[in-house]
Amino acid sequence: MVNRNVICVIDGAAGSCGKAKVIGELVTDPNINIRASVTNCMPNAGHTFVDEKGHATIFRNIPVSSVNPNIELFIGPGSAIDMDVFIEEYAQVKKYLGDRKIYVHEMVPLIVERHKKYEREHIKSGSTFKGCGAVTQEKVIRDKKLEFFKTYKNAIACSNDEWLERLYSHLDKNDEYVMLEGAQGCDLDLNHSGNYPFVTSRNVSTSQLLADSGISPERLLQTIMVIRPFPIRISNVTKDGAYMFTGSYGTGAELTWSEVNLASQNGVYPFRNNCPREIYYEFAYHAKSILDESINEIIEMYNMLPVIYKIQLLNGVERETLEKNEINLILALEIERIYHKIKGERAYKSIVIKRINNNGRVFESPDYIITDLSEMTSVTKKERRIFDLDIYKLKNNVRINNPHGLYLNFFQQFDYGLFEKQGNYEDIKNKYLVNYDNIDRYIEWLESETNTSVLSLGTGAKNGEVIKRLEMIKK
């Protein structure tokens, strides 16, 4: 009988759902005997593992599973390597690698400058421009210019036979698990995301992971699909300040980070009516007086922002300054947020919220402090865009991948009261006074719509910051 011992971890949205956090939790669990891990990543990947002390390591090609010293590491033929990026990554990951070998399949091509240049000249629908699509194109047409990975230190190039023989020595053991680490997200899938051309250069699914790794679907034990309450996409602004639309998120409305920040701190759901529904009327009723009191300070903040943020705020329009009548409340909140962010202040006293309170509403935050939950991309270091969830897209991704369960990450963005909490769901529920009626309803809705269980809630970046609801791994 064929062993079913393969665990796949994939992203059920548009990337950046925290796959590295989930993989790290699984491979550092002493009760889960994972002994081999395979990636088929390219350098546009940026998987961040944060240890219990808060030290972050970004993985690109090397398996995140290397944080467990007992796991044998494989880079599969679906990968592509940029040697400059790989050498830098290898040095950063060396603290976990020790003297272990990494087995790299002989069909892993090398990305060079011509691949990145080609993408910058030809891709107009949003990209990290890391050369991944261009190198794949050359591999498919068997371009003679294409080179393949040889060897770098303990990263050893293996023939197809050698690579499969070593991998199957783990697959054939009935007391071991094998991890397949996914990259990108299902909503960036080349064929099935529904977002073409705002997609990545490959298919993103459990079946693709298995195929890239040379593993029969009969070997699959389970897929864990990592999602987040509010999916993200990369910035519309390139590093050089050019505006390039990178796609929407189905029927999910694009939110601002200020909406998410306010909603999470109030324990409510962010709606698109300019702000969370429960405080929309306060905003609307007092809008003119609040802006009249704050407008000069907001304009002064805007004038001090880097150009790249001004373009982001105005959706591609470059304006040195703004007129008073051009600023609504949400734009004012966003200007204020980014002003404090570039100063390194992720928790700041909001003059806008203070004036809302002065006009009759008590905002649930001491001293009008707002905590900014906004994120930057791991690779390009630009601010991510954030969206409401399109449940129909998630249902399609579940149909295609049939996951054993959902890992709902970044849950502090749903309710900030759960930030960094860890333990069992019922214990946490009894211990902390957060809005569990809302949380229970949301989880029940997700489970009923997808017919898939929510296994855990990720509540922070660090390894172990998780609220566990159900067993993660099948026996």
Side-chain angles (χ1 to χ4, degrees), residues 24-188:
E25 285 175 7
L26 293 173
V27 300
T28 57
D29 187 333
N31 298 311
I32 306 172
N33 188 36
I34 299 171
R35 284 296 174 263
S37 185
V38 187
T39 65
N40 283 278
C41 298
M42 297 186 182
N44 58 340
H47 301 147
T48 305
F49 174 77
V50 184
D51 68 16
E52 292 83 352
K53 295 180 180 179
H55 301 138
T57 304
I58 298 176
F59 294 81
R60 311 282 281 275
N61 285 108
I62 298 171
V64 177
S65 298
S66 60
V67 299
N68 180 332
N70 300 311
I71 291 179
E72 200 156 59
L73 308 172
F74 296 83
I75 296 178
S79 301
I81 287 176
D82 179 324
M83 283 307 302
D84 291 338
V85 174
F86 188 78
I87 289 168
E88 183 181 347
E89 179 190 6
Y90 192 97
Q92 293 175 351
V93 176
K94 188 69 168 66
K95 61 189 176 185
Y96 291 120
L97 290 176
D99 295 326
R100 267 183 299 176
K101 289 182 171 59
I102 305 171
Y103 299 99
V104 185
H105 195 281
E106 63 180 344
M107 290 305 296
V108 174
L110 293 178
I111 294 173
V112 296
E113 182 56 33
R114 74 171 180 277
H115 300 123
K116 291 176 269 190
K117 182 174 183 290
Y118 181 90
E119 292 190 351
R120 289 193 296 269
E121 292 174 352
H122 291 85
I123 297 178
K124 305 301 179 186
S125 57
S127 173
T128 56
F129 304 115
K130 298 300 178 183
C132 308
V135 79
T136 301
Q137 174 180 268
E138 285 190 2
K139 185 178 180 182
V140 169
I141 65 171
R142 282 81 81 193
D143 194 307
K144 291 182 179 180
K145 295 191 297 292
L146 191 63
E147 299 177 73
F148 291 87
F149 181 85
K150 302 303 179 191
T151 283
Y152 176 77
K153 295 191 175 181
N154 279 349
I156 309 299
C158 300
S159 70
N160 181 62
D161 290 347
E162 294 171 316
W163 195 87
L164 288 173
E165 188 69 30
R166 185 170 287 277
L167 177 59
Y168 271 79
S169 70
H170 297 281
L171 289 165
D172 289 337
K173 290 180 181 174
N174 57 18
D175 61 344
E176 293 185 4
Y177 293 107
V178 173
M179 170 73 72
L180 298 190
E181 302 184 10
Q184 303 292 331
C186 294
D187 289 317
L188 299 176

Side-chain angles (χ1 to χ4, degrees), residues 189 260 324 336 376 447:
D189 186 282
V260 174
K324 292 181 180 181
E336 183 182 46
M376 309 297 279
E447 291 183 330

Side-chain angles (χ1 to χ4, degrees), residues 352-368:
V352 178
I353 294 298
K354 180 179 180 180
R355 283 162 184 164
I356 292 172
N357 287 8
N358 289 346
N359 280 276
R361 185 184 191 283
V362 179
F363 179 67
E364 296 173 17
S365 175
D367 302 319
Y368 323 113

Side-chain angles (χ1 to χ4, degrees), residues 321-424:
T321 190
L322 295 176
E323 300 296 327
K324 292 181 180 181
N325 61 2
E326 296 177 284
I327 301 176
N328 59 32
L329 271 168
I330 289 298
L331 180 56
L333 287 165
E334 280 289 272
I335 291 169
E336 183 182 46
R337 177 186 69 80
I338 293 172
Y339 170 79
H340 287 284
K341 180 174 181 173
I342 63 175
K343 292 174 64 178
E345 300 169 356
R346 298 305 293 263
Y348 59 92
K349 186 174 290 189
S350 170
I351 60 171
V352 178
I353 294 298
K354 180 179 180 180
R355 283 162 184 164
I356 292 172
N357 287 8
N358 289 346
N359 280 276
R361 185 184 191 283
V362 179
F363 179 67
E364 296 173 17
S365 175
D367 302 319
Y368 323 113
I369 298 295
I370 299 295
T371 300
D372 183 17
L373 301 175
S374 65
E375 303 165 24
M376 309 297 279
T377 58
S378 303
V379 176
T380 59
K381 306 301 180 187
K382 293 182 296 180
E383 192 167 87
R384 291 169 171 152
R385 300 160 62 208
I386 191 162
F387 295 82
D388 195 5
L389 179 67
D390 181 342
I391 190 64
Y392 301 105
K393 292 179 73 62
L394 179 58
K395 287 166 75 170
N396 278 337
N397 296 337
V398 167
R399 287 184 183 118
I400 291 168
N401 295 282
N402 193 31
H404 162 63
L406 303 174
Y407 188 113
L408 185 51
N409 221 351
F410 292 91
F411 204 68
Q412 69 273 19
Q413 293 176 355
F414 187 91
D415 194 316
Y416 194 68
L418 293 176
F419 182 49
E420 296 183 337
K421 300 294 187 292
Q422 49 188 292
N424 293 317

Side-chain angles (χ1 to χ4, degrees), residues 224-244:
I224 296 172
M225 181 175 280
V226 191
I227 62 171
R228 49 192 297 162
F230 310 111
I232 59 86
R233 297 207 69 146
I234 61 172
S235 173
N236 285 329
V237 186
T238 65
K239 276 188 175 181
D240 59 6
Y243 185 83
M244 181 181 293

